[in-house]
Amino acid sequence: MRIVIYSMLVLLIAIQFPLWLGKGGWLKVYEMEKQVELQEAKNSLLALRNAKLAGDVKDLKDGTRAIEERARVEHGLIKEGEFFVQILPADKSSSTPATKQ
């Protein structure tokens, strides 16, 4: 009788091994699900970035406002009749009064 019980126990363990630790086992599935969740999060961030870039491309193709804004910000370009005023921060060494020796 013990031989039958032990053989059934060994058979049960032999059947359970691939289910838990095998190639398509539950542990591998759990790990893969975590990887899929991480990849989906990355994909959603990239989809948002792509949508923003697509909007920028559309603005650059269709309108002149985006081109004008980029020219002003990135290259400092001004229109005819406009004045460019640049305010520089005060230099600490020149703002202090010189001491006489």
Side-chain angles (χ1 to χ4, degrees), residues 59-79:
D59 285 346
L60 288 171
K61 283 183 179 180
D62 295 342
T64 58
R65 239 189 223 170
I67 296 171
E68 182 179 336
E69 179 184 347
R70 283 198 178 204
R72 288 174 179 272
V73 171
E74 293 176 6
H75 302 291
L77 299 178
I78 58 174
K79 285 184 179 178

Side-chain angles (χ1 to χ4, degrees), residues 18-97:
L19 177 66
W20 290 95
L21 303 173
K23 185 176 180 181
W26 290 31
L27 295 176
K28 296 283 185 183
V29 170
Y30 179 74
E31 290 174 7
M32 294 295 256
E33 285 176 352
K34 291 295 181 188
Q35 288 178 1
V36 167
E37 288 175 8
L38 289 173
Q39 190 62 45
E40 285 175 348
K42 288 179 186 178
N43 288 350
S44 65
L45 290 174
L46 291 174
L48 290 173
R49 186 195 71 172
N50 287 348
K52 182 182 175 198
L53 289 174
D56 288 346
V57 168
K58 183 180 181 219
D59 285 346
L60 288 171
K61 283 183 179 180
D62 295 342
T64 58
R65 239 189 223 170
I67 296 171
E68 182 179 336
E69 179 184 347
R70 283 198 178 204
R72 288 174 179 272
V73 171
E74 293 176 6
H75 302 291
L77 299 178
I78 58 174
K79 285 184 179 178
E80 227 175 276
E82 289 183 337
F83 295 99
F84 178 75
V85 178
Q86 183 176 11
I87 300 173
L88 299 174
D91 188 20
K92 291 184 181 185
S93 63
S94 65
S95 64
T96 59

